[in-house]
Structure formats: structure tokens, C-alpha cells
């Protein structure tokens, strides 16, 4: 089981302050410390070096996936997630780990100057160890960025499908852009939840802002209409322009039983009529 030489670990402990100073200087020179507060940088470098020494005493340096390295893995995952949320890139985050090499190499060269074979062995082991920790950091950073992007996409989908209360018991959902499976799911969930929360009996889906309607889009609309009906509410699709009507006919899509209107105003008038209401001019 390859592990760092006891003399290497002792040297790191003895010259800890010098090692940390050289590491931070390297971070400053590469720009990896830019945007990170001085207090936070000192805390992170101190903690990582402490965890590195702790794991190196009994840990196999060629297997950072073992339980011995769990604490330092968790620490690096925390750093990666923090950097990702702050908007740093993967290179900036990886450099935080990789820049430790230069400081460690300088220390090891001084300690093992009289033993070239042991020097080479320790330099190689440290290089592989830091590389493995750095790659773990990059992988965690990429996953964190993917999670951030996914969450932002979900938030954008929610913002792009606002459910508007037009009147007591009447909801409207203006659609803008193309419909796909993911967006249809968000639309269905938010609209059905709003129907439950408000006790609405009529839902209007306005597709004025939908550029084209193909077979897939029509299927998504039909699924949404079916789900609304299962909730005990009626659904009206508005914004059916002549081009969209022709496309639906040419595609041979069956929208029988689905109430459609050319614009939102007509759909609202129909919804009010179903609710036993009508709009009249105000008295002079």
C-alpha cells in the first residue's frame, strides 16, 4: 500500500506555515485567489492541508476513494459547490488544488536532497495524489454547475408559464415559444395545482405566442386538456391563428371535443358566459 514517507509528513508539519505561505503565493500569482476573501482563503488552505496530513498518515495515496480520504473528499466537494455557486469556472477551482504541488515539491526537494531515489519516489506519489484530488474537485464542480444550470432552466420554465387569474373561477395560461415534453410537464403541474388552489372551473390556454403547431405540440396540448378535464374543469384553447388551423387540418390531428377560439378575448367571453356572467357597458 503506497503511502507518503514519515519524513515527508513530518516535514509538512514542521514547515506548515512556510508551506501555506508558498501555496497562497502560488494562488495569488495564478489568479486563483482572485474573488476569494483572504480570510476564507486562509481557512480553506489550512483545513485542506490538515486533512491531507491526517489522511496521508494511514491512507493509500493511490486510492483517494477509500474511507481514509472521505473527510478531504467532502471538504473538496464543499469548496467545489461553493465556487460553482459563486460563478467561478472549473479551471479556477482546480488550480486551488493543483497549485499545492509547487509548494510541496519545494519542501520535498529540500528534505530529500541527499537521497535522489527517495526524492523521486515522494515527488511522484505527491504528484499523483494531488492530481487525483484535483480531478475529484473538477468532477464535483462540473456536477454542481450542471445542477445550477438545471435549476435555472426549471426556474425559467416556471417563469415562462405563468398562470393568471382572469376572474373568479377562470384561469389563463399564456404560452410563448415552443412546447416540448419537459415544458408541457411544467405547464400541466402548475396549471393543475392552480386549479386545485383556486377551485377554478375554466382554464384558458392561449397559444398566440406559439410559433408553430406540429403533431408533437398538439399531443402535448391534448394531454394537458385531458388532465384539466380529469380535475373537473373545462379547457378552452385560444390563439388559434389561420396558419395553425391549416396546419392542424393538414396533419389530420383530431381536436374533436376541444373548444378553440381565435383570440383570448373570445375565450374569456365564452368562459364568462359559462359562469353565468356577461360584460355590459357601464351606465352613464
Amino acid at each position: 500500500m503506497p503511502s507518503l514517507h514519515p519524513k515527508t509528513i513530518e516535514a509538512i508539519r514542521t514547515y506548515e506555515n512556510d508551506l501555506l505561505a508558498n501555496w497562497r503565493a502560488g494562488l495569488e500569482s495564478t489568479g486563483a485567489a482572485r474573488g476569494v476573501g483572504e480570510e476564507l482563503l486562509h481557512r480553506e488552505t489550512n483545513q485542506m492541508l490538515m486533512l491531507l496530513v491526517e489522511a496521508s498518515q494511514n491512507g493509500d495515496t493511490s486510492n483517494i476513494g477509500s474511507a481514509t480520504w472521505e473527510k478531504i473528499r467532502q471538504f473538496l466537494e464543499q469548496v467545489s459547490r461553493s465556487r460553482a455557486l459563486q460563478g467561478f469556472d472549473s479551471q479556477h477551482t482546480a488550480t486551488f488544488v493543483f497549485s499545492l504541488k509547487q509548494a510541496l515539491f519545494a519542501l520535498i526537494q529540500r528534505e530529500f536532497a541527499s537521497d535522489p531515489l527517495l526524492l523521486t519516489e515522494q515527488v511522484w506519489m505527491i504528484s499523483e495524489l494531488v492530481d487525483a484530488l484535483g480531478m475529484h474537485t473538477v468532477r464535483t464542480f462540473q456536477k454542481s454547475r450542471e445542477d445550477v444550470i438545471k435549476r435555472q432552466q426549471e426556474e425559467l420554465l416556471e417563469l415562462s408559464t405563468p398562470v393568471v387569474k382572469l376572474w373568479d373561477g377562470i384561469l389563463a395560461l399564456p404560452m410563448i415559444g415552443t412546447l416540448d415534453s419537459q415544458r408541457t410537464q411544467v405547464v400541466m403541474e402548475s396549471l393543475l395545482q392552480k386549479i386545485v388552489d383556486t377551485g377554478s372551473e375554466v382554464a384558458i390556454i392561449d397559444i398566440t405566442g406559439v410559433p408553430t403547431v406540429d403533431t408533437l405540440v398538439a399531443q402535448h396540448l391534448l394531454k394537458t386538456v385531458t388532465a384539466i378535464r380529469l380535475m373537473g374543469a373545462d379547457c378552452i384553447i385560444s390563439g388559434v391563428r389561420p396558419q395553425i388551423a391549416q396546419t392542424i387540418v393538414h396533419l389530420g390531428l383530431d381536436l374533436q371535443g376541444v373548444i378553440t377560439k381565435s383570440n383570448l378575448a373570445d375565450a374569456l367571453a365564452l368562459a364568462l358566459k359559462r359562469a353565468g356572467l356577461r360584460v355590459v357597458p357601464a351606465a352613464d
Side-chain angles (χ1 to χ4, degrees):
M1 182 178 72
S3 58
L4 293 181
H5 195 278
K7 189 177 178 181
T8 299
I9 297 175
E10 185 60 32
I12 294 174
R13 285 175 168 169
T14 303
Y15 300 102
E16 176 183 349
N17 292 334
D18 292 341
L19 181 60
L20 287 170
N22 291 335
W23 183 13
R24 290 166 190 152
L27 290 171
E28 292 286 350
S29 64
T30 58
R34 190 178 301 115
V36 182
E38 183 178 352
E39 182 180 348
L40 176 61
L41 186 65
H42 276 66
R43 186 166 64 249
E44 288 178 343
T45 50
N46 284 341
Q47 187 173 358
M48 179 174 170
L49 189 62
M50 178 191 70
L51 293 173
L52 179 66
V53 171
E54 180 182 321
S56 297
Q57 289 178 314
N58 303 308
D60 180 356
T61 57
S62 64
N63 181 22
I64 67 162
S66 64
T68 308
W69 298 91
E70 182 177 0
K71 288 184 179 179
I72 195 168
R73 287 199 312 271
Q74 291 176 347
F75 166 75
L76 291 175
E77 289 164 6
Q78 179 183 351
V79 171
S80 296
R81 283 191 292 268
S82 174
R83 296 287 196 276
L85 292 173
Q86 293 174 36
F88 292 106
D89 57 26
S90 57
Q91 180 179 350
H92 182 284
T93 307
T95 303
F96 170 75
V97 179
F98 290 136
S99 58
L100 177 58
K101 271 188 182 184
Q102 186 175 359
L104 284 172
F105 286 169
L107 176 63
I108 299 305
Q109 286 172 351
R110 186 173 66 245
E111 289 300 309
F112 295 97
S114 60
D115 192 341
L117 290 178
L118 190 55
L119 171 61
T120 303
E121 176 192 86
Q122 293 299 291
V123 166
W124 180 254
M125 290 178 63
I126 288 175
S127 181
E128 285 193 319
L129 173 60
V130 176
D131 284 347
L133 294 173
M135 291 306 298
H136 180 75
T137 305
V138 171
R139 285 192 296 270
T140 305
F141 178 89
Q142 290 175 336
K143 185 178 183 305
S144 299
R145 287 296 297 167
E146 289 170 0
D147 292 341
V148 170
I149 292 172
K150 182 179 179 182
R151 187 174 68 251
Q152 290 174 340
Q153 289 175 337
E154 291 172 350
E155 291 172 353
L156 285 174
L157 282 174
E158 292 175 359
L159 290 174
S160 65
T161 54
V163 180
V164 182
K165 182 179 179 180
L166 298 179
W167 203 268
D168 288 339
I170 302 175
L171 299 176
L173 178 66
M175 300 292 299
I176 299 175
T178 57
L179 283 174
D180 56 22
S181 300
Q182 183 181 8
R183 192 177 183 198
T184 301
Q185 186 65 29
V186 174
V187 167
M188 197 181 299
E189 289 177 358
S190 30
L191 184 54
L192 295 181
Q193 186 59 49
K194 197 72 173 181
I195 289 173
V196 173
D197 295 341
T198 61
S200 298
E201 298 179 351
V202 180
I204 301 172
I205 300 177
D206 183 67
I207 61 172
T208 304
V210 177
T212 57
V213 172
D214 55 17
T215 306
L216 187 60
V217 172
Q219 288 175 349
H220 290 323
L221 286 173
L222 288 174
K223 287 179 181 178
T224 305
V225 171
T226 302
I228 292 171
R229 287 175 173 173
L230 288 173
M231 295 296 296
D234 289 332
C235 181
I236 303 171
I237 297 178
S238 66
V240 180
R241 305 185 300 280
Q243 299 89 337
I244 291 180
Q246 291 178 26
T247 302
I248 291 175
V249 171
H250 290 158
L251 291 173
L253 300 175
D254 183 13
L255 295 183
Q256 187 175 3
V258 179
I259 303 172
T260 60
K261 290 294 179 180
S262 59
N263 55 63
L264 182 58
D266 290 343
L268 177 58
L270 177 59
L272 290 172
K273 183 179 180 180
R274 290 195 169 192
L277 303 170
R278 63 192 180 100
V279 179
V280 297
D284 292 337

